[in-house]
Amino acid sequence: MKITKVEPFVLQVPLKRDVSDALDTNPFWGVPGCLIHTDEGIVGTGYTGTYSWGDECFADIIGTHFAEVLIGEDPTEIKRLWDKLHWSNLHWVGRAGMVSMAHAAVDIALWDITAKAAGLPLHRMLGSHKPEGVPVYNTDAGWLNWTKEELVEDMGRLLEEGWTHLKMKVGHDDIRIDIDRVHYVREHLGGDFTLMVDANQKWNLQKAAAFAQAIEDLDIYWFEEPCHPDDVRSHVELARRTSIPLALGENVYSKFAFRDYLVSGAIQFVQADCTRLSGITEWLQVAGMAACYDTAVVPHHGDFAQVQQHLVAATPNAEMMEYIPWLLDVFVEPMNYKDGVLVLPETPGASTDFDPDAFAKYRIH
Ligand code: MG
């Protein structure tokens, strides 16, 4: 099989309502990626995720620079092509950021082609470990721009629907606001559900430690992205000052950076994202490394779980999936769950095929 065409695209999908975390407020989710065509008629789809910032740049990286590397190659030689793309001319201007995320889109499309050619859903091609699914947690009721009354109302609605694991955003400049919000949620919704908090890398060590110490008795399952994701030292010190387990990874770009976190012992949950790392190939390396440190993988959701549901199902040390229902209507087979547990797809491929009408409607490039 040979690659005949690499077709970049950019989708911008409007959100039903504006949501905020400690870093961003945006009415759109950006989905830059590519369709990779082959001489056997199989088309692979891969994409990454943005808040629509810089989306047009991805089309150029993929359509101009990466296409040159890929045309004529065998798409099933994924790991050889990973090296070729990683060490392409763009290495000089970006081992991380847009280059890594564009590489992710290409790598995902190659795995999609290979699974389709094998006639298997990706999780079976990788060797399923949890074909019966994994628990799903919900992030979509805990946004920073909700008042605390809205938080309780929206999170309470999810609990009534049967969700048992919820995450809420924190990260105000004044940590007293967040300390009050987390206490308010526990006071009004009780302790009979699993609660995570996420500061989206907003705080320094002093603020993160003071916040963590003020919510120590609220049974918090993890404290996510407390500080800058490159700052291993602060996370090591923070882990020393709090009993709440730390989680991060959605802004970590390489297996080497994850290695340093694992060696440090600072984190107990690895939130690797195959749309931020350079694709599935590097994600699998990180997950294997985390297993060597007996550390759970709970991926971040830049792909809205379409791809990572397969990876989680094929990873012994993967624990849980995130759920944010922003993109469900753009895929042919959107991720699905029943009674709080992921229901895995059995269609060949990586579940990245877009619904043609939605693709045409949201495509801006
Ligand atoms: Mg997060």
Side-chain angles (χ1 to χ4, degrees):
M1 190 165 22
K2 297 284 181 232
I3 295 171
T4 54
K5 189 166 89 169
V6 178
E7 181 185 351
F9 62 78
V10 177
L11 310 187
Q12 288 185 344
V13 182
L15 307 185
K16 290 186 176 63
R17 50 191 178 174
D18 286 9
V19 299
S20 296
D21 59 31
L23 286 183
D24 290 291
T25 301
N26 201 305
F28 290 96
W29 185 254
V31 187
C34 59
L35 307 175
I36 296 185
H37 300 260
T38 66
D39 61 356
E40 293 189 11
I42 297 175
V43 179
T45 304
Y47 59 93
T48 185
T50 71
Y51 270 110
S52 305
W53 316 129
D55 281 346
E56 291 80 358
C57 302
F58 287 93
D60 194 37
I61 294 169
I62 294 170
T64 305
H65 298 279
F66 285 168
E68 224 170 68
V69 176
L70 293 165
I71 299 294
E73 293 283 3
D74 181 339
T76 66
E77 294 175 5
I78 300 170
K79 293 173 185 173
R80 187 176 64 77
L81 292 176
W82 193 95
D83 283 343
K84 260 189 108 170
L85 291 166
H86 182 73
W87 294 107
S88 75
N89 293 340
L90 289 183
H91 188 88
W92 180 260
V93 293
R95 296 187 306 279
M98 287 181 181
V99 175
S100 171
M101 293 168 80
H103 188 172
V106 170
D107 186 80
I108 290 166
L110 297 177
W111 282 96
D112 184 41
I113 290 170
T114 304
K116 283 172 176 166
L120 291 169
L122 182 60
H123 68 93
R124 292 199 181 277
M125 192 178 77
L126 294 172
S128 270
H129 181 266
K130 303 173 182 64
E132 75 287 358
V134 292
V136 182
Y137 78 88
N138 199 316
T139 299
D140 201 35
W143 300 105
L144 207 64
N145 54 332
W146 275 210
T147 65
K148 60 185 186 180
E149 291 78 16
E150 286 169 334
L151 270 183
V152 163
E153 188 184 329
D154 216 14
M155 293 171 81
R157 172 181 59 80
L158 292 184
L159 293 174
E160 276 173 25
E161 288 175 12
W163 292 90
T164 55
H165 294 63
L166 304 180
K167 189 163 84 183
M168 63 180 285
K169 298 292 183 180
V170 296
H172 290 87
D173 289 336
D174 182 350
I175 62 168
R176 289 173 301 182
I177 296 171
D178 295 294
I179 293 167
D180 179 52
R181 285 163 68 88
V182 182
H183 276 93
Y184 191 83
V185 163
R186 273 297 191 214
E187 274 164 25
H188 286 79
L189 297 178
D192 196 24
F193 69 100
T194 301
L195 178 63
M196 293 82 89
V197 296
D198 181 1
N200 287 92
Q201 57 181 289
K202 191 67 184 297
W203 288 328
N204 61 18
L205 172 61
Q206 284 68 31
K207 280 190 178 181
F211 168 78
Q213 286 158 6
I215 60 164
E216 285 270 331
D217 58 350
L218 296 182
D219 191 18
I220 303 299
Y221 193 61
W222 74 55
F223 181 9
E224 178 171 327
E225 281 203 310
C227 305
H228 194 289
D230 292 342
D231 185 0
V232 178
R233 192 201 72 87
S234 285
H235 289 90
V236 170
E237 178 60 20
L238 179 60
R240 206 180 60 75
R241 295 193 203 175
T242 178
S243 64
I244 301 173
L246 305 184
L248 59 75
E250 68 184 81
N251 286 288
V252 174
Y253 282 99
S254 79
K255 55 185 170 285
F256 301 112
F258 274 109
R259 176 201 60 195
D260 291 347
Y261 268 111
L262 288 164
V263 168
S264 80
I267 59 171
Q268 292 177 44
F269 296 95
V270 165
Q271 297 179 304
D273 186 334
C274 72
T275 67
R276 175 79 60 177
L277 288 163
S278 294
I280 293 167
T281 304
E282 193 166 30
W283 191 99
L284 294 169
Q285 292 170 330
V286 170
M289 190 164 51
C292 298
Y293 286 85
D294 196 21
T295 301
V297 179
V298 185
H300 173 254
H301 202 130
D303 65 324
F304 288 82
Q306 290 298 122
V307 181
Q308 287 174 145
Q309 61 183 328
H310 294 272
L311 308 186
V312 163
T315 298
N317 53 319
E319 185 179 289
M320 203 162 37
M321 278 306 302
E322 185 174 19
Y323 180 78
I324 306 178
W326 290 352
L327 294 193
L328 292 180
D329 61 349
V330 309
F331 294 103
V332 171
E333 193 173 12
M335 72 91 81
N336 190 17
Y337 70 93
K338 187 168 187 288
D339 299 330
V341 177
L342 189 66
V343 177
L344 282 154
E346 293 297 340
T347 308
S351 304
T352 50
D353 287 337
F354 290 100
D355 172 79
D357 292 339
F359 191 76
K361 182 176 169 188
Y362 298 127
R363 189 172 188 174
I364 61 139
H365 186 293

